[in-house]
């Protein structure tokens, strides 16, 4: 981003603008927009050199004769870009900011005509910009699931890395090709990156586990870069990397509904955990607004956390859905970055701190700046194997949230634009595909949409298929504790139509009391886990509900049993004909019965 005034004939003018640019960037601490000012200076000085020729050497902001040159430069900018481009206006505006800043300084001189021009109305229009469309609902669900899976993988990697480091010793006493010894040395700061470069033998002498750590399974690193690859992978086993940070930005944007810059702008001091959620101090640089926002947990107090494994199936029933509370994401992030933040105590205004090994082999613990460094959001999407239509830009996730808010508020702009102006909402968010479609729908269509939304929310059980066999290890990988998985495998937590991870923490009863509505409401409960062994009981329960549908008015059935009916059908629709046929055989031979409370058969006697 360096700017050398000696590159221009108008060197005095370049020095004046460059001084203002450097001071402005330092005062405002802008990052992503800083390059716009450098580019504007570069383009203007080149234009002055070409327009004034030999006279360019005397060009200065204190010279009134520069007025016409500045006007012609601004008017010529659109010629360099496509019709309707939005690029010329910010370039002209950036240069005007620097001129105004210099004019405001008591000891610096700017020609009066130039100052009036800089403070006057713009000569160019802002151009036309193509607004990005929001992610579809399906894409957003896939993104959140992938983010949770990535977060879990990061925590597992770092936990295993520190556990392996605890088993090692100094490489001088052990081996310079032992992963455990190298991790021990880095974790305890007993060895440096330079030690690894000098003491670790060339890659052709590495054992297989060291080769796979550096380059991946079945691959061989290049001899010229093997040492650097190994060093970066070793540090990635101990601390989060820049790539890991993308997942938490996605999760926080989904949980809070706030912009990408806001969810990365609060430090530990800006976090206050509440009994039912978390309060965050959010900073939005573009709007220069500091806000204190509380985010309530979705679960009732005392309820256990749902599965956060992040794996799910299709359909209206959410399977293995991730936890979406902001408090849970913040705790997860604080725990994961604790060691990295301890290495960078000067960074207090963000939790997004990661390790980086630079090309000169220096190790830094730095603030995450996704717009200035790789890997970018599109690289993270490739890493987690997620494909989206259109531009892979994180801002589209914010628009998805805005669309959801507009839907939830029935299209009221004042409610949807609760963190910016209504003009901003109309200009940047109201063009989304979903909102355009909704504007032409009837009230009945909108009601159907809300019914679908209600069926898709995180209110159903977790379904575990028999694709790889059901065992305790698999249940623990899906999010259960060892005790919960053992109870399900042994049948102690079988509630009839499903298993329950903890019947004493039911959302329908007081904490500590045995669930009073099982098994009638199990298909609406987050605690429920459906295994293949529950299939015969599910078919029997469906037969029971079909009888109720014939006895009850549709409105009453939908109010009392609509959620269970929808979730049940979603589970059964995902099963193969062979599985359903086998379950019916169990019923026919009398191996399956449905135990329902007496109230299930007497509710129509009144």
């Amino acid at each position: 981003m360096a700017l050398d005034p000696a590159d221009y004939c108008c060197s005095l003018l370049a020095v004046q603008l460059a001084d203002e640019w450097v001071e402005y960037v330092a005062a405002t601490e802008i990052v992503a927009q800083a390059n716009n000012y450098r580019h504007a200076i570069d383009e203007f000085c080149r234009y002055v050199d070409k327009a004034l020729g030999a006279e360019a050497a005397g060009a200065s902001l204190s010279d009134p004769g520069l007025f016409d040159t500045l006007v012609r430069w601004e008017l010529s900018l659109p010629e360099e870009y496509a019709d309707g481009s939005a690029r010329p206006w910010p370039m002209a505006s950036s240069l005007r900011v620097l001129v105004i800043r210099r004019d405001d300084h008591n000891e610096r001189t700017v020609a009066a005509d130039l100052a009036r021009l800089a403070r006057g109305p713009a000569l160019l229009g802002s151009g036309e910009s193509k607004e990005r469309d929001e992610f579809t609902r399906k894409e957003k669900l896939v993104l959140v699931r992938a983010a949770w899976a990535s977060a879990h993988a990061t925590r597992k990697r770092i936990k295993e890395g520190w556990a392996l480091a605890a088993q090692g010793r100094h490489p001088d006493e052990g081996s310079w090709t032992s992963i455990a010894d190298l991790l021990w040395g880095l974790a305890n700061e007993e060895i440096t990156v330079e030690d690894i470069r000098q003491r670790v033998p060339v890659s052709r002498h590495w054992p297989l586990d060291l080769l796979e750590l550096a380059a991946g399974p079945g691959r061989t690193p290049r001899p010229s870069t093997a040492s650097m690859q190994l060093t970066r992978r070793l540090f990635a086993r101990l601390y989060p990397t820049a790539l890991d940070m993308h997942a938490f930005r996605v999760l926080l944007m989904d949980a809070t509904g706030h912009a990408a810059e806001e969810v990365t702008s609060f430090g530990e001091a800006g976090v206050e955990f509440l009994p039912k959620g978390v309060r965050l101090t959010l900073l939005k640089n573009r709007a220069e607004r500091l806000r204190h926002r509380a985010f309530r947990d979705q679960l009732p107090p005392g309820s256990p956390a749902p599965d956060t494994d992040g794996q799910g199936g299709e359909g209206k029933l959410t399977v293995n859905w991730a936890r979406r509370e902001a408090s849970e994401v913040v705790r997860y992030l604080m725990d994961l970055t604790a060691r990295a933040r301890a290495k960078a105590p000067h960074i207090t205004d963000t939790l997004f701190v990661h390790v980086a090994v630079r090309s000169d082999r220096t190790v830094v613990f730095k603030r995450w700046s996704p717009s200035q460094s790789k890997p970018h959001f599109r690289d993270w999407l490739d890493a987690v194997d997620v494909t989206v239509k259109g531009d892979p830009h994180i801002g589209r996730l914010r628009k998805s949230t805005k669309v959801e808010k507009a839907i939830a508020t029935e299209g009221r702009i004042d409610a949807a634009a609760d963190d910016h102006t209504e003009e901003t909402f109309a200009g940047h968010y109201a063009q989304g595909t979903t909102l355009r479609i909704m504007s032409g729908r009837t009230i009945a269509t909108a009601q159907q949409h809300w019914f679908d939304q209600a069926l898709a929310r995180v209110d159903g059980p977790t379904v575990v298929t028999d694709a790889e066999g059901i065992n305790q290890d698999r249940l623990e990988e899906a999010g259960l504790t060892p005790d919960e998985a053992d109870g399900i495998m042994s049948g102690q937590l079988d509630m009839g139509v499903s298993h329950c991870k903890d019947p004493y923490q039911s959302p329908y009863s007081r904490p500590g009391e045995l669930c009073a509505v099982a098994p009638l409401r199990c298909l609406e409960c987050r605690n429920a886990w459906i295994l293949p062994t529950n299939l015969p009981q599910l078919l029997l329960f469906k037969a029971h509900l079909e009888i109720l549908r014939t006895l009850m008015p549709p409105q009453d059935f939908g109010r009392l049993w609509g959620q269970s009916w929808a979730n049940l059908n979603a589970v059964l629709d995902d099963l193969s004909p062979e599985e359903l046929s086998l379950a019916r055989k169990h019923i026919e031979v009398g191996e399956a019965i449905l135990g329902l409370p007496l109230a299930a058969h007497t509710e129509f006697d009144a």
Side-chain angles (χ1 to χ4, degrees):
M1 199 185 295
L3 181 70
D4 188 358
D7 292 340
Y8 314 100
C9 297
C10 56
S11 57
L12 176 58
L13 176 62
V15 168
Q16 292 173 335
L17 293 172
D19 288 344
E20 299 300 330
W21 171 55
V22 171
E23 292 181 7
Y24 182 69
V25 170
T28 58
E29 297 183 354
I30 57 175
V31 179
Q33 299 85 1
N35 198 48
N36 293 338
Y37 295 87
R38 186 206 64 77
H39 190 53
I41 296 173
D42 180 71
E43 290 294 319
F44 180 59
C45 288
R46 293 188 187 282
Y47 182 86
V48 171
D49 287 349
K50 182 178 179 180
L52 299 185
E55 299 179 1
S60 167
L61 291 177
S62 60
D63 180 10
L66 198 62
F67 176 88
D68 292 336
T69 305
L70 179 57
V71 171
R72 289 196 298 270
W73 172 73
E74 283 198 18
L75 295 178
S76 70
L77 284 175
E79 300 174 1
E80 305 295 329
Y81 300 91
D83 292 343
S85 172
R87 183 63 179 160
W89 181 84
M91 287 186 59
S93 177
S94 297
L95 194 74
R96 287 186 176 217
V97 168
L98 300 180
V99 174
I100 294 172
R101 179 180 173 83
R102 189 170 185 86
D103 183 54
D104 288 339
H105 200 285
N106 293 330
E107 299 179 359
R108 299 171 187 174
T109 305
V110 175
D113 289 345
L114 282 177
R116 282 195 296 271
L117 175 63
R119 298 178 189 276
L123 303 179
L124 302 176
S126 58
E128 301 175 359
S129 61
K130 184 178 180 180
E131 292 292 336
R132 298 184 183 93
D133 207 355
E134 74 272 5
F135 288 124
T136 65
R137 178 178 171 274
K138 182 178 179 180
E139 288 174 335
K140 183 179 177 182
L141 293 179
V142 171
L143 279 172
V144 175
R145 291 191 183 107
W148 268 119
S150 176
H152 290 316
T154 300
R155 180 171 67 175
K156 180 180 179 182
R157 183 191 76 220
I158 294 176
K159 181 179 180 180
E160 291 177 349
W162 282 93
L164 190 58
Q167 302 173 17
R169 53 182 174 170
H170 198 289
D172 285 341
E173 301 173 1
S175 172
W176 283 94
T177 58
S178 167
I179 296 178
D181 294 343
L182 293 174
L183 288 174
W184 182 93
L186 294 175
N188 293 278
E189 300 184 357
E190 293 292 332
I191 65 174
T192 64
V193 176
E194 186 63 22
D195 291 333
I196 294 177
R197 186 183 72 84
Q198 295 182 1
R199 305 292 297 277
V200 175
V202 293
S203 58
R204 64 175 176 271
H205 298 308
W206 289 1
L208 180 61
D209 60 344
L210 207 62
L211 289 171
E212 291 187 344
L213 174 63
R219 303 178 63 183
T220 303
R222 292 183 179 180
S224 59
T225 60
S227 177
M228 178 61 76
Q229 286 181 263
L230 174 62
T231 302
R232 286 173 173 161
R233 292 296 180 88
L234 286 170
F235 274 102
R237 296 290 294 271
L238 299 173
Y239 305 99
T241 65
L243 183 65
D244 300 325
M245 297 292 97
H246 286 282
F248 289 96
R249 183 172 61 164
V250 169
L251 293 175
L252 283 173
M253 289 181 69
D254 173 64
T256 66
H258 283 264
E261 66 172 299
E262 292 181 277
V263 299
T264 59
S265 67
F266 61 87
E268 190 170 354
V271 178
E272 180 186 358
F273 289 107
L274 308 173
K276 300 179 181 179
V278 64
R279 180 181 290 110
L280 303 177
T281 300
L282 303 174
L283 174 64
K284 191 169 186 178
N285 287 324
R286 288 172 295 172
E288 298 181 349
R289 296 184 65 182
L290 188 68
R291 289 185 286 245
H292 304 279
R293 292 289 174 89
F295 301 95
R296 185 182 179 89
D297 289 346
Q298 296 176 356
L299 297 180
S303 295
D307 171 67
T308 57
D309 188 58
Q311 303 297 321
E314 299 296 333
K316 296 181 179 179
L317 177 67
T318 301
V319 183
N320 293 346
W321 180 235
R323 185 170 185 175
R324 301 180 66 184
E325 284 87 349
S327 61
E328 178 71 6
V329 180
V330 173
R331 285 191 179 96
Y332 214 110
L333 178 60
M334 291 178 68
D335 178 66
L336 193 70
T337 62
R339 290 190 178 96
R341 288 183 288 113
K343 296 287 186 179
H346 60 288
I347 303 177
T348 59
D349 58 346
T350 182
L351 298 177
F352 286 76
V353 180
H354 66 95
V355 68
V357 181
R358 293 173 174 168
S359 55
D360 61 356
R361 297 184 180 275
T362 57
V363 180
V364 294
F365 293 87
K366 56 189 295 188
R367 177 197 319 273
W368 185 53
S369 180
S371 61
Q372 294 296 304
S373 61
K374 294 182 178 179
H376 298 304
F377 182 60
R378 66 176 70 241
D379 301 314
W380 178 79
L381 291 176
D382 292 338
V384 297
D385 195 24
V386 171
T387 302
V388 296
K389 294 182 180 179
D391 185 13
H393 193 280
I394 191 65
R396 296 178 62 195
L397 187 61
R398 162 76 161 167
K399 290 200 171 187
S400 297
T401 302
K402 281 293 179 182
V403 168
E404 293 173 357
K405 188 177 293 186
I407 294 173
T409 56
E410 299 178 349
R412 295 195 303 273
I413 292 182
D414 59 337
D418 59 344
D419 58 348
H420 49 63
T421 64
E422 295 183 21
E423 291 78 5
T424 299
F425 180 88
H428 293 282
Y429 300 104
Q431 298 84 7
T433 299
T434 306
L435 293 182
R436 290 199 301 268
I437 293 175
M438 280 190 62
S439 64
R441 288 180 177 176
T442 62
I443 295 178
T445 305
Q447 291 174 339
Q448 180 62 43
H449 169 80
W450 272 109
F451 182 67
D452 293 340
Q453 289 289 95
L455 298 183
R457 67 180 187 268
V458 192
D459 283 344
T462 299
V463 180
V464 183
T465 63
D466 197 19
E468 302 175 1
I470 305 300
N471 53 53
Q472 182 162 344
D473 291 339
R474 187 179 175 197
L475 293 178
E476 291 181 22
E477 291 175 359
L480 292 175
T481 66
D483 290 341
E484 292 168 347
D486 179 67
I488 289 179
M489 292 300 299
S490 64
Q492 298 178 13
L493 299 178
D494 190 347
M495 306 301 287
V497 297
S498 71
H499 292 75
C500 182
K501 61 186 293 186
D502 190 350
Y504 290 94
Q505 293 292 339
S506 168
Y508 302 101
S509 301
R510 293 182 178 180
E513 295 182 1
L514 185 65
C515 180
V517 296
L520 298 178
R521 297 300 175 192
C522 289
L523 287 169
E524 302 177 26
C525 182
R526 300 180 180 93
N527 288 351
W529 284 65
I530 295 178
L531 273 59
T533 55
N534 297 121
L535 182 52
Q537 283 76 20
L538 290 177
L539 292 176
L540 292 173
F541 190 60
K542 182 178 182 180
H544 173 72
L545 292 184
E546 287 175 341
I547 294 174
L548 296 184
R549 290 187 74 190
T550 63
L551 299 175
M552 301 176 65
Q555 297 86 347
D556 293 341
F557 180 83
R559 176 173 55 84
L560 295 173
W561 298 103
Q563 185 72 66
S564 293
W565 178 255
N567 289 359
L568 176 60
N569 284 319
V571 173
L572 297 179
D573 289 345
D574 287 339
L575 299 175
S576 65
E578 292 78 10
E579 292 174 305
L580 294 173
S581 176
L582 181 60
R584 292 190 180 98
K585 290 180 180 179
H586 283 284
I587 297 174
E588 292 172 359
V589 299
E591 295 180 359
I593 59 174
L594 180 64
L596 296 178
L598 183 62
H601 303 284
T602 60
E603 57 182 298
F604 303 106
D605 292 348

